[in-house]
Structures are given as C-alpha cells and as structure tokens.
Amino acid sequence: MNLDDLYRRVIMDHYKNPRNRGSFEDDALKIELNNPTCGDRITLQLKVEDGVVKDARYNGEGCSISMSSASMMTEAVKGKTVAVALDMADRFSGLMKGEPVEFEGYEDIEALSGVNKFPARIKCATLAWNALRKGIDEEEKH
Ligand code: ZN
C-alpha cells in the first residue's frame, strides 16, 4: 500500500467513524463556521477549564476532508492546554502550506498533508481548526 492509499484510508475511517461527533447538553462554548466554496458546515463545542481543552464535540455536514479533519482535530486537542492546541492549529496551517510538519502522538492528522496540492480543498481541511481558534479567542475574552 502506498502512502496516498494509507492516507485515504485514514481520512475515510474518520469520515465513516467520526470521533467526538455530537453536542453537549449544557451551554458549552459554541462556534458555528462554514465554508461556502464547498458547502461544509461545522458547529464546534469546546469545554475549556483552567487553560485546558477538557472536551470537544462537533456536528456538521460536508465533504470527507472537512468532516474527517474535524474528527481528527477534536481528538488531537482534547486534554491539551490552550497554548498547545493553538500551536497545533499553527502547525496545521504549515501542513497546508506543504511544510514537513509532524504531529507526534497524533499522526492521523498527517493524512491530510496531501490536501496542500489541492488549493480548493485547503479551506475544507482548515475549517475545524479555524473554529477551534475562534472558540479559544472567545473563551479568552471572558
Ligand atoms: Zn469541503
């Protein structure tokens, strides 16, 4: 199996078996974002306590890239400090620019590295990470 096949398999796994899909019943921080060029929509909910992303869930609809990226992002940032989560968001931006970024401890994200060759899809992949940034921004204004 070549790397492209492996990456495609990881992406489809997250698309078909999404992690952290759903919503919290209480009034957790909620961010809604969409990507009009593809029609992707995401509603991200974050529970941030004492500078740590305790939990994250998302709902939405869209292409396999946007939805798998949301699944991966929520898995990756859960339990991380806000600073580490923001650093991951920055590194993900680097990945989308074709930089050789590694996600130690959560390599699934690297499956999206091929997206940088398809500029129209980069907005799909970054949607969830943009929602994360926006959520942390709002949290810090409190
Ligand atoms: Zn999309």
Side-chain angles (χ1 to χ4, degrees):
M1 187 164 39
N2 67 32
L3 198 57
D4 280 351
D5 287 340
L6 175 68
Y7 282 173
R8 202 169 297 125
R9 190 172 286 198
V10 171
I11 290 167
M12 288 317 288
D13 177 49
H14 276 273
Y15 183 55
K16 290 180 178 160
N17 308 296
R19 280 63 144 182
N20 308 305
R21 193 174 172 104
S23 54
F24 298 119
E25 285 175 8
D26 50 17
D27 55 347
L29 183 66
K30 189 192 253 183
I31 308 98
E32 292 178 50
L33 272 189
N34 57 58
N35 169 25
T37 58
C38 180
D40 308 314
R41 296 189 300 110
I42 184 177
T43 302
L44 176 69
Q45 283 188 294
L46 294 174
K47 288 194 173 184
V48 181
E49 286 169 42
D50 304 324
V52 174
V53 182
K54 296 270 190 197
D55 212 345
R57 287 194 192 162
Y58 75 98
N59 263 316
E61 53 189 50
C63 65
S64 57
I65 301 288
S66 65
M67 293 297 110
S68 64
S69 184
S71 172
M72 293 173 193
M73 183 279 286
T74 52
E75 276 291 272
V77 302
K78 260 206 298 190
K80 302 289 193 303
T81 64
V82 165
V84 168
L86 287 174
D87 179 59
M88 284 180 135
D90 286 345
R91 282 190 287 142
F92 191 79
S93 298
L95 194 72
M96 291 298 108
K97 288 175 193 145
E99 293 167 11
V101 185
E102 287 182 9
F103 285 84
E104 215 170 304
Y106 202 70
E107 289 84 1
D108 279 13
I109 294 175
E110 295 165 22
L112 290 169
S113 60
V115 172
N116 79 78
K117 297 186 202 87
F118 306 96
R121 310 309 299 277
I122 291 175
K123 281 184 184 168
C124 304
T126 53
L127 183 65
W129 290 97
N130 290 341
L132 174 77
R133 279 204 181 94
K134 195 169 176 224
I136 288 173
D137 244 31
E138 284 177 17
E139 178 67 27
E140 288 180 341
K141 274 183 214 147
H142 284 213

